[in-house]
Amino acid sequence: MMEPVEFGDWIDVADDARVEMFMDAASRNVSTTTTSDNGVGGVECAMCVIGVLTRDVVNVGDLDVWFGFASNMRVADADERKLATSSAKTFAKSISADDAKDTNDGGDSALASLDVRTECVGFGVMFADDACFFLQIANGPATRTCIEHLIRTSMTCAYHAQRVIHAMCDASIVVDASTVRMMDCRVDAWLIAPDVAHDGGIDDVVRVMSNQNDGNAGAADESWSANALACFRRDLMRTREACVQGTARLERAGVTVARSVESRVAVALGTLQFVGVGFDRPTAMRMRDDASERLDALKQRARAAIGMDINLSSARQ
């Protein structure tokens, strides 16, 4: 149950004509190359940025009720998710009053188990000329065709590449992690300031890199409910600015090779998160049993040597 999205100056890739527009824009997409101090060489920097627009969803009976937009650069916090759940409960009571009468608690026991999940609405792509295309998950074939072409032919940049790649895989987009070239400004932030890029510090570094130091970020974020795509566009612009700044700083620090490696790791982790990791339970159980037998044998040897039982798990003993 989702109200229509106001696209404004975005191009909604919803038909063949707009797919052609996207392909044409992608063919004209360019990256930039920085120039070193001596005028020789340089580092390639993506100017095409891609992001994911999401919404919180609460299932109420047979309905999916949508609340609160967010993006790969802005994840809804705990308070927002609680508010979404509370709003869903209120909504559920308003549409199922008759059903609630059949229970002694007015239906509260069923409503108490409501969970919020996050679903992808679509992908946003901003090219070097600031043209913005929105590719809805609902337009499956068109979205898959465009995104697969883009990541196959162009260098892109993103905030949290792992999250973006995972969303692509969820949308049945074919991702070849060995060939995708996707810069990640969070990786840049970690390489630039490894001592502070932890426990939330990485986002602080990204804010500095994307010029979000005007003190108005919180006020701007409040408009997500009013104009999500305008806020989403702002996130894409911040991501691109952070990647541009990151490219310059990493080049000065001489760690651009590390960036190339870590960016590929981020893409690989996104696909791995989707596919999962194989786990051989019988083998793991045998390994556990073997380890337990060896541990028991060591305990027996220790007891024979010192004449008393000993707990090998105790550092003091």
Side-chain angles (χ1 to χ4, degrees), residues 277-289:
V277 179
F279 181 73
D280 188 337
R281 185 179 180 85
T283 299
M285 297 296 287
R286 287 196 300 271
M287 292 174 66
R288 185 196 66 176
D289 293 341

Side-chain angles (χ1 to χ4, degrees), residues 165-179:
I165 292 295
H166 188 198
M168 289 181 183
C169 294
D170 272 336
S172 300
I173 293 169
V174 177
V175 177
D176 184 349
S178 67
T179 60

Side-chain angles (χ1 to χ4, degrees), residues 44 59 65 133 202 216:
E44 189 177 13
N59 180 261
V65 186
F133 291 81
I202 193 168
N216 294 322

Side-chain angles (χ1 to χ4, degrees), residues 55-115:
R55 292 204 75 173
D56 288 333
V57 186
V58 180
N59 180 261
V60 180
D62 295 330
L63 297 176
D64 279 341
V65 186
W66 298 68
F67 298 92
F69 283 102
S71 76
N72 55 296
M73 197 171 185
R74 175 192 180 274
V75 178
D77 59 30
D79 289 340
E80 288 178 291
R81 296 175 73 83
K82 288 180 181 178
L83 179 60
T85 303
S86 175
S87 299
K89 289 180 179 180
T90 301
F91 176 80
K93 287 183 177 181
S94 70
I95 64 172
S96 59
D98 292 338
D99 293 337
K101 292 177 182 178
D102 296 333
T103 64
N104 294 329
D105 61 1
D108 287 341
S109 59
L111 294 172
S113 63
L114 290 176
D115 291 321

Side-chain angles (χ1 to χ4, degrees), residues 131-276:
C132 289
F133 291 81
F134 192 73
L135 301 107
Q136 297 186 65
I137 294 297
N139 299 330
T143 295
R144 288 194 294 272
T145 296
C146 291
I147 298 296
E148 288 174 4
H149 174 79
L150 180 69
I151 62 176
R152 187 173 59 249
T153 61
S154 299
M155 172 184 278
T156 60
C157 59
Y159 175 92
H160 210 317
Q162 179 179 340
R163 187 176 294 158
V164 174
I165 292 295
H166 188 198
M168 289 181 183
C169 294
D170 272 336
S172 300
I173 293 169
V174 177
V175 177
D176 184 349
S178 67
T179 60
V180 171
R181 297 189 302 156
M182 182 177 289
M183 296 164 49
D184 187 340
C185 57
R186 293 181 85 253
V187 169
D188 292 352
W190 170 60
L191 291 172
I192 290 168
D195 292 336
V196 298
H198 56 82
D199 295 334
I202 193 168
D203 293 321
D204 294 335
V205 178
V206 171
R207 277 191 285 271
V208 172
M209 291 162 54
S210 59
N211 297 322
Q212 296 182 54
N213 295 321
D214 55 9
N216 294 322
D221 285 342
E222 293 177 358
S223 63
W224 274 87
S225 60
N227 196 336
L229 281 180
C231 295
F232 187 34
R233 178 173 184 149
R234 182 188 61 222
D235 277 358
L236 296 182
M237 296 185 72
R238 287 174 173 174
T239 297
R240 186 169 63 189
E241 178 61 24
C243 284
V244 170
Q245 294 292 329
T247 299
R249 296 187 189 195
L250 291 173
E251 184 181 23
R252 289 195 295 269
V255 291
T256 53
V257 173
R259 175 212 234 176
S260 176
V261 172
E262 293 296 337
S263 294
R264 288 184 178 276
V265 169
V267 171
L269 287 175
T271 57
L272 183 62
Q273 183 181 6
F274 173 76
V275 174

